[in-house]
Amino acid sequence: MNMNLTKVSQFISLILRHKPETVGITVDKYGYANTNDLIKGVKTKYPEFNNNILIEIVETDEKQRYSFKDNGKLIRANQGHSFPVDLGLEAQQPPLLLFHGTSTKYLDSIMEKGIVSKSRQYVHLSKDVDTAHTVGLRHGAGTVILVVSAEQMYKDGYKF
């Protein structure tokens, strides 16, 4: 098999997080899609794709991007949706500080407007600097780590 699993995973992410209509599938209000429908859709771009490859992608993804439900009959992206999804998350009290990794090219905008979710449902904050740095690298060189006074924001009424 000569399939780039990273590229396949990126395509799955596009489908489950942003554009399920790309392959003609739908997701429920919790973000779940029928696994067989997803496989058929991915096969339109990657004909060799199958359930075993999907399981490998889900089980080996370092960021745990996907999860199965109902013995593998349903699948969803766990975060990063650009459309409303009820992830079943409950608000909780954050630690004293959290960290946000981003590119220096966005720093002026962040300093002016704050950290905003843009087209996503949530802002990504990390519990440690190393994770925030890794997240920030997705924007390319020039990563900056912002320190967020999470506990104070929580006291001010922000939800985490």
Side-chain angles (χ1 to χ4, degrees):
M1 178 177 51
N2 192 18
M3 190 179 306
N4 181 329
L5 295 186
T6 300
K7 293 287 185 192
V8 176
S9 181
Q10 289 171 342
F11 186 52
I12 293 169
S13 181
L14 170 73
I15 295 165
L16 295 177
R17 292 168 66 184
H18 308 294
K19 297 181 178 181
E21 69 277 5
T22 301
V23 295
I25 67 170
T26 58
V27 299
D28 66 17
K29 72 177 191 173
Y30 303 104
Y32 285 102
N34 179 287
T35 300
N36 288 333
D37 291 346
L38 176 68
I39 291 169
K40 287 177 192 171
V42 174
K43 279 179 165 288
T44 63
K45 186 169 182 176
Y46 299 97
E48 298 175 14
F49 186 73
N50 60 42
N51 191 58
N52 290 335
I53 296 169
L54 179 60
I55 290 169
E56 181 180 349
I57 288 171
V58 171
E59 290 180 351
T60 61
D61 188 270
E62 290 179 6
K63 294 183 179 180
Q64 299 177 330
R65 287 181 180 93
Y66 316 105
S67 58
F68 287 116
K69 181 180 170 185
D70 293 345
N71 293 321
K73 292 179 184 173
L74 300 173
I75 185 170
R76 79 171 177 187
N78 292 325
Q79 61 188 11
H81 298 84
S82 58
F83 52 86
V85 172
D86 180 355
L87 295 174
L89 301 175
E90 293 186 26
Q92 56 184 292
Q93 185 168 351
L96 177 67
L97 301 174
L98 289 169
F99 305 91
H100 181 75
T102 192
S103 170
T104 54
K105 66 185 174 185
Y106 299 122
L107 193 55
D108 287 341
S109 175
I110 290 171
M111 297 312 281
E112 180 183 324
K113 300 175 188 169
I115 301 171
V116 295
S117 62
K118 295 186 180 179
S119 64
R120 305 288 174 96
Q121 277 191 284
Y122 302 103
V123 169
H124 190 284
L125 299 174
S126 303
K127 291 182 180 181
D128 60 80
V129 173
D130 289 338
T131 302
H133 183 262
T134 300
V135 171
L137 286 173
R138 75 189 188 281
H139 297 296
T143 301
V144 63
I145 309 299
L146 301 171
V147 180
V148 176
S149 299
E151 184 179 69
Q152 185 59 52
M153 288 181 69
Y154 179 78
K155 289 176 182 174
D156 291 343
Y158 289 89
K159 291 186 179 183
F160 288 80

